[in-house]
Amino acid sequence: MCGIVGYVGSRPAVHILMDGLGRLEYRGYDSAGIAVLDGGKLVVEKSAGKLKVLQNRLNGNLGAARLGIGHTRWATHGRPTDFNAHPHTDCRHKFAVVHNGIIENYQELRTWLQERGHEFRSETDTEVLAHLVEDFYRGELLQAVLQAIPYLRGSYAVAVASEYHPEEIIAARQDSPLIVGLSEGEVFLASDIPALLPYTRSTYILDNGEIALLRPDGVKIFNSRGEQQEKSVYHVSWDLRAAERGGYPHFMLKEIFEQPRALRDTLSGRLDPLTGRVRLDGVKLTPSQALGIKKAAVIACGTAHYAGMVGKYLLEKLLRLPVEDDVASEFRYREPVLDTSSLGIVISQSGETADTLAGLREARRLGARILAITNVVGSSVAREADDVLYTWAGPEIAVASTKAYGTQVAAFYLLALFLAQARGGAPWVEELAKDLALLPQWAEEVLKLDGQVRGLAERVASQEHAFFIGRGMDYAVALEGALKLKEISYLHAEACAAGELKHGPLALIEDGVPVIALATQSELLPKMLSNIKEVKARGAWVIALTQAGNTDVAREADEVIYLPPVPSLLAPAIAVVPLQLLAYHVAVARGCDVDQPRNLAKSVTVE
């Protein structure tokens, strides 16, 4: 995610802004910038690249500024360029805005503002807010922001500064965090607590819909109607490292709990749950091109490969489109059969995975059109693909991938809807779209199972082997669950298609061995119950995952983790969350380095 900082007081603002941005670097970013009031003028400096590039541009200048806002950007709308970096300004360069989140209706707002004579400089969604504030300004900055905010649909944390108001910053929040730091004669602003800790531990944590007026002599908080609110001061007791993790003991756990937000952002502005229509700005396939696709090949590694397996099930089941799924490191060496009627679907969180890039280039050589699913704007995979479907998960710090998987699976649901739409529609579109819009809510529900999962993890942690079984899409989720457990806990974990138990794996089941059985696919539930009986007869201790209401599972398993009532088709995006939590708690119980497991790297950029 992006980072926001702000300051108004008596100290040099540039130093505080740059220090705060530096303390937010762990969040990941591809450009940075600041806007300050210097000599009565609004001055903006910004650049693509790391903070040192911005620092060199500043070169010690702007030392007289006592008010400013700053930003580190993780690109979503628009490439990582100087023009797209924040802050953004209005036509006359009198208002500056920084923004985290996604403005879903920015295209509509942009068109409307252009019709009113506004000229845009960037490709971003954020710039519309600077022009909205300019349009509504009648002498009071707070009132202009209060009028602009209701026009925004989506998530946002914003800070606004103006040349006309040299002692004011306006901040507003909806679904993206924003914290105000309090001190005598000065006020601080940040999207995360680490940026504030060197200066204050007294804070206001803004709630959704709240707007703050920051001045050197204090802070006033208002609701969306402009009514002043009373606010309790929150005193931060964490150390800096814990603050970077948002109070969580590890980045992995923080990122697991970020999944509702990551899913919401990935779906935002793309899905109309009422009509089933989707808009994927980076996917340029025309209806005739979509109809011409006769075959697809999924090319990915590790967790992305397992997300691709779910995608294969989806596209074949819903669209009747033949799909191969390949481990990218093997793809080139089997002489794949692709041509100009093929679609290569390349998945990489970083967009820099070496084997995946090599697979992309081989698929292109054979004539396939390339569609990339990636989390990083401007990455190699994104640049080399014909179409790009970004997962707006924000950066992952932990080596073990969590929120990337869920958003990659969500991207496949969007892709299935898009292809169905391009091919003339399908009877399942509206129902899937309506259910898909509920994914973030279901993710929030399943996170409430953390306590139950932690208790089960204590028993698993004492074992040396664990097995995961599933059928259909549950098999793909089982593979991902086993991968998570082995990579961070170093416990041997193996997944198999439940129907294959009699063909070998059953020989490894003995008394007390944990077997995690996924039973979320309603049409396969009777067969999964038989498989659970098989392993129970050999002494296995069975933990089953199924939707609430599947009482038959409780009669066969030793423990049941009940998921929200998510439809079978959407279960892979939700059922994986308890498996991530299980892996995490087992690793903690075994004393492992959760965020940086041995022998592994976050992005595999060599073959």
Side-chain angles (χ1 to χ4, degrees):
M1 290 178 67
C2 313
I4 287 175
V5 295
Y7 174 76
V8 57
S10 58
R11 288 193 263 180
V14 171
H15 170 76
I16 292 170
L17 297 176
M18 293 300 292
D19 179 63
L21 293 177
R23 295 177 188 278
L24 298 179
E25 280 192 295
Y26 70 92
R27 295 164 67 92
Y29 67 103
D30 45 49
S31 59
I34 63 169
V36 297
L37 269 295
D38 185 65
K41 295 293 183 182
L42 183 66
V43 180
V44 175
E45 287 288 351
K46 56 183 183 176
S47 65
K50 296 300 181 183
L51 280 172
K52 62 183 178 182
V53 179
L54 178 62
Q55 191 78 62
N56 291 338
R57 286 196 178 183
L58 292 167
N59 195 29
N61 295 323
L62 307 177
R66 296 296 184 265
L67 176 149
I69 54 178
H71 191 265
T72 49
R73 177 178 186 250
W74 176 272
T76 55
H77 294 72
R79 297 162 296 161
T81 65
D82 289 3
F83 282 116
N84 289 332
H86 298 212
H88 290 287
T89 59
D90 64 299
C91 298
R92 294 176 295 161
H93 206 71
K94 302 298 183 182
F95 302 93
V97 173
V98 293
H99 162 238
N100 290 352
I102 296 167
I103 298 173
E104 297 176 13
N105 59 332
Y106 82 101
Q107 288 282 20
E108 302 162 37
L109 292 173
R110 185 179 180 121
T111 300
W112 178 70
L113 287 161
Q114 285 172 330
E115 290 171 352
R116 293 173 64 83
H118 291 266
E119 296 181 1
F120 285 75
R121 304 179 188 91
S122 78
E123 305 168 283
T124 70
D125 56 335
T126 300
E127 193 182 347
V128 298
L129 183 54
H131 293 282
L132 279 172
V133 172
E134 177 189 26
D135 209 78
F136 289 122
Y137 183 72
R138 299 293 184 273
E140 290 188 29
L141 186 58
L142 175 62
Q143 287 303 315
V145 175
L146 279 167
Q147 284 185 266
I149 287 297
Y151 282 78
L152 307 181
R153 191 168 68 242
S155 61
Y156 53 81
V158 300
V160 184
S162 172
E163 187 174 298
Y164 300 134
H165 298 270
E167 291 195 331
E168 289 184 5
I169 296 173
I170 309 298
R173 177 256 166 104
Q174 182 67 42
D175 292 328
S176 292
L178 207 52
I179 301 107
V180 177
L182 308 171
S183 189
E184 187 70 29
E186 57 187 354
V187 180
F188 305 84
L189 181 71
S191 53
D192 214 346
I193 286 173
L196 303 177
L197 286 185
Y199 309 104
T200 182
R201 289 178 178 266
S202 298
T203 67
Y204 289 147
I205 298 178
L206 295 187
D207 292 321
N208 278 342
E210 288 186 331
I211 298 171
L213 168 61
L214 283 58
R215 294 178 55 87
D217 57 358
V219 179
K220 293 180 180 178
I221 308 294
F222 302 88
N223 64 19
S224 60
R225 296 183 297 276
E227 300 164 339
Q228 192 167 341
Q229 307 292 296
E230 293 297 322
K231 192 80 175 171
S232 298
V233 175
Y234 174 70
H235 294 280
V236 180
S237 58
W238 313 333
D239 62 22
L240 183 59
R241 183 66 177 166
E244 290 177 350
R245 299 187 301 262
Y248 292 95
H250 298 93
F251 280 109
M252 182 181 176
L253 189 62
K254 176 176 182 280
E255 288 158 9
I256 290 171
F257 274 80
E258 285 177 342
Q259 286 179 102
R261 191 274 312 157
L263 287 167
R264 189 174 292 113
D265 285 354
T266 297
L267 299 174
S268 287
R270 293 168 160 176
L271 172 69
D272 184 341
L274 298 178
T275 65
R277 294 194 67 80
V278 294
R279 185 182 67 201
L280 304 179
D281 292 341
V283 180
K284 308 302 182 185
L285 274 166
T286 64
S288 62
Q289 289 170 331
L291 282 168
I293 297 171
K294 304 303 181 189
K295 174 183 178 180
V298 173
I299 305 163
C301 301
T303 287
H305 174 230
Y306 298 143
M309 287 181 66
V310 174
K312 168 186 166 69
Y313 281 105
L314 283 171
L315 298 184
E316 290 191 337
K317 181 181 182 68
L318 296 176
L319 300 172
R320 308 309 300 156
L321 177 68
V323 183
E324 301 174 357
D325 69 277
D326 250 308
V327 176
S329 56
E330 294 293 322
F331 177 75
R332 286 178 294 159
Y333 306 117
R334 66 169 181 83
E335 298 185 12
V337 182
L338 300 178
D339 57 26
T340 55
S341 67
S342 305
L343 180 68
I345 304 174
V346 177
I347 316 168
S348 170
Q349 188 280 141
S350 68
E352 303 296 343
T353 311
D355 285 316
T356 303
L357 274 166
L360 180 158
R361 290 161 186 161
E362 176 65 6
R364 181 183 294 289
R365 186 187 70 80
L366 294 169
R369 185 184 181 97
I370 305 299
L371 185 147
I373 297 175
T374 184
N375 195 37
V376 180
V377 174
S379 60
S380 297
V381 159
R383 291 196 308 272
E384 296 190 29
D386 300 294
D387 307 287
V388 185
L389 178 46
Y390 286 112
T391 57
W392 292 332
E396 279 189 331
I397 307 301
V399 166
S401 188
T402 51
K403 58 182 178 174
Y405 174 89
T407 54
Q408 286 163 356
V409 170
F412 269 106
Y413 294 123
L414 289 171
L415 180 60
L417 288 165
F418 176 86
L419 290 174
Q421 179 179 296
R423 289 170 166 230
W428 46 265
V429 163
E430 289 187 17
E431 183 178 359
L432 176 59
K434 183 178 68 174
D435 290 337
L436 183 56
L438 296 174
L439 267 190
Q441 177 183 321
W442 282 322
E444 288 172 352
E445 287 294 313
V446 82
L447 286 168
K448 296 174 184 177
L449 299 170
D450 184 47
Q452 179 190 3
V453 175
R454 188 187 303 117
L456 298 173
E458 293 175 5
R459 178 165 174 179
V460 176
S462 65
Q463 303 293 315
E464 290 304 319
H465 307 277
F467 295 87
F468 292 72
I469 60 174
R471 286 174 176 265
M473 288 194 288
D474 276 344
Y475 173 47
V477 181
L479 286 162
E480 173 60 9
L483 175 63
K484 281 293 147 299
L485 187 60
K486 72 180 76 169
E487 68 182 330
I488 64 168
S489 76
Y490 316 144
L491 186 154
H492 168 248
E494 184 176 328
C496 71
E500 291 295 294
L501 280 168
K502 292 189 182 75
H503 297 275
L506 205 55
L508 298 172
I509 304 300
E510 55 189 8
D511 284 346
V513 168
V515 173
I516 295 87
L518 287 113
T520 74
Q521 302 300 296
S522 57
E523 70 275 18
L524 297 171
L525 192 56
K527 292 191 177 297
M528 271 306 300
L529 291 172
S530 296
N531 296 135
I532 291 171
K533 290 177 182 178
E534 281 180 332
V535 294
K536 281 282 292 178
R538 275 77 180 175
W541 177 59
V542 177
I543 303 170
L545 273 75
T546 193
Q547 292 93 333
N550 288 345
T551 54
D552 289 345
V553 176
R555 286 194 286 270
E556 306 300 338
D558 296 289
E559 303 282 350
V560 181
I561 298 172
Y562 282 115
L563 306 173
V566 55
S568 295
L569 198 64
L570 288 139
I574 300 302
V576 74
V577 178
L579 304 186
Q580 295 167 346
L581 290 168
L582 180 68
Y584 170 78
H585 289 301
V586 170
V588 170
R590 290 167 68 94
C592 300
D593 188 341
V594 172
D595 287 334
Q596 294 182 315
R598 67 190 182 203
N599 304 331
L600 300 178
K602 182 62 184 172
S603 182
V604 183
T605 56
V606 294
E607 293 186 53

